[in-house]
Amino acid sequence: MDFEAIASMDEALTAHKTAKALLNIEIGIPEMSCFFKEQSTGLSCRIRPDFLPGGNIIVDYKTTENASPSEFQRSCAKYGYDIQAGFYCLGMELLTGVIHKFVFIAQEKKPPYEVAVYEASADFIDTGRSKAIRLLQLLAECRKTGIYPGYPDEIQTIDMPSWAKAA
């Protein structure tokens, strides 16, 4: 990505009133590393929120091909953004004793670099938190046993997906 594109993205981002308010550097903290111990596993963990604007909100900036609600929802599922949101909210709650909201600022990678802001629902965060804890428990078990899951050590059969079979 070149300087001109980045400048145009910044211009579109700062033109979005809600995004601009959430990313106000005068009242918030960018990229603060936060360390905590997850209770069920005892694992030491680190989170690094993109921005903490105060008011018990965690802001995460994502670039995307399409920031529309339905397409960004697909990206959330595909890339595990629920796990990130749940894990970050868990960490901040353990550190502060306060439940935090998780807000995504989604910006399209191509002109006109549209911006949308989404707050993760309580269900989104709870689902992600549960997944994150299960993954931490798996990691703790792997570290304990020295056995890490991987692909089977055998020949597997693979076929074309059904959508690709149509000529």
Side-chain angles (χ1 to χ4, degrees), residues 4-152:
E4 197 172 293
I6 293 170
S8 295
M9 288 179 79
D10 181 60
E11 187 178 312
L13 190 61
T14 56
H16 191 283
K17 291 177 187 174
T18 304
K20 183 178 179 180
L22 285 167
L23 297 172
N24 185 345
I25 196 73
E26 292 177 14
I27 61 170
I29 304 168
E31 298 183 325
M32 183 172 84
S33 292
C34 305
F35 300 88
F36 64 97
K37 190 167 288 230
E38 196 280 317
Q39 297 169 328
S40 72
T41 61
L43 290 176
S44 295
C45 300
R46 177 184 71 94
I47 56 175
R48 190 177 174 102
D50 287 343
F51 203 77
L52 296 171
N56 305 319
I57 297 171
I58 301 166
V59 174
D60 192 61
Y61 173 77
K62 299 286 189 207
T63 57
T64 184
E65 294 300 318
N66 186 331
S68 70
S70 62
E71 289 300 316
F72 190 68
Q73 185 180 46
R74 279 185 183 74
S75 292
C76 289
K78 180 177 180 179
Y79 298 115
Y81 294 166
D82 60 324
I83 298 170
Q84 178 193 9
F87 183 61
Y88 277 40
C89 286
L90 170 68
M92 291 305 291
E93 185 176 343
L94 289 172
L95 287 167
T96 66
V98 178
I99 295 172
H100 282 64
K101 294 179 181 183
F102 195 93
V103 175
F104 292 102
I105 298 176
Q107 184 169 27
E108 294 178 355
K109 299 177 189 180
K110 295 180 181 168
Y113 308 109
E114 289 290 332
V115 176
V117 178
Y118 301 105
E119 180 181 339
S121 70
D123 186 54
F124 186 105
I125 292 169
D126 290 344
T127 299
R129 180 185 299 228
S130 294
K131 289 178 183 178
I133 291 171
R134 281 195 308 273
L135 290 169
L136 288 169
Q137 290 168 341
L138 175 62
L139 176 60
E141 182 65 21
C142 291
R143 286 182 176 174
K144 180 180 172 185
T145 63
I147 300 169
Y148 292 79
Y151 297 115

Side-chain angles (χ1 to χ4, degrees), residues 160-167:
M160 291 296 292
S162 57
W163 59 265
K165 290 181 181 182

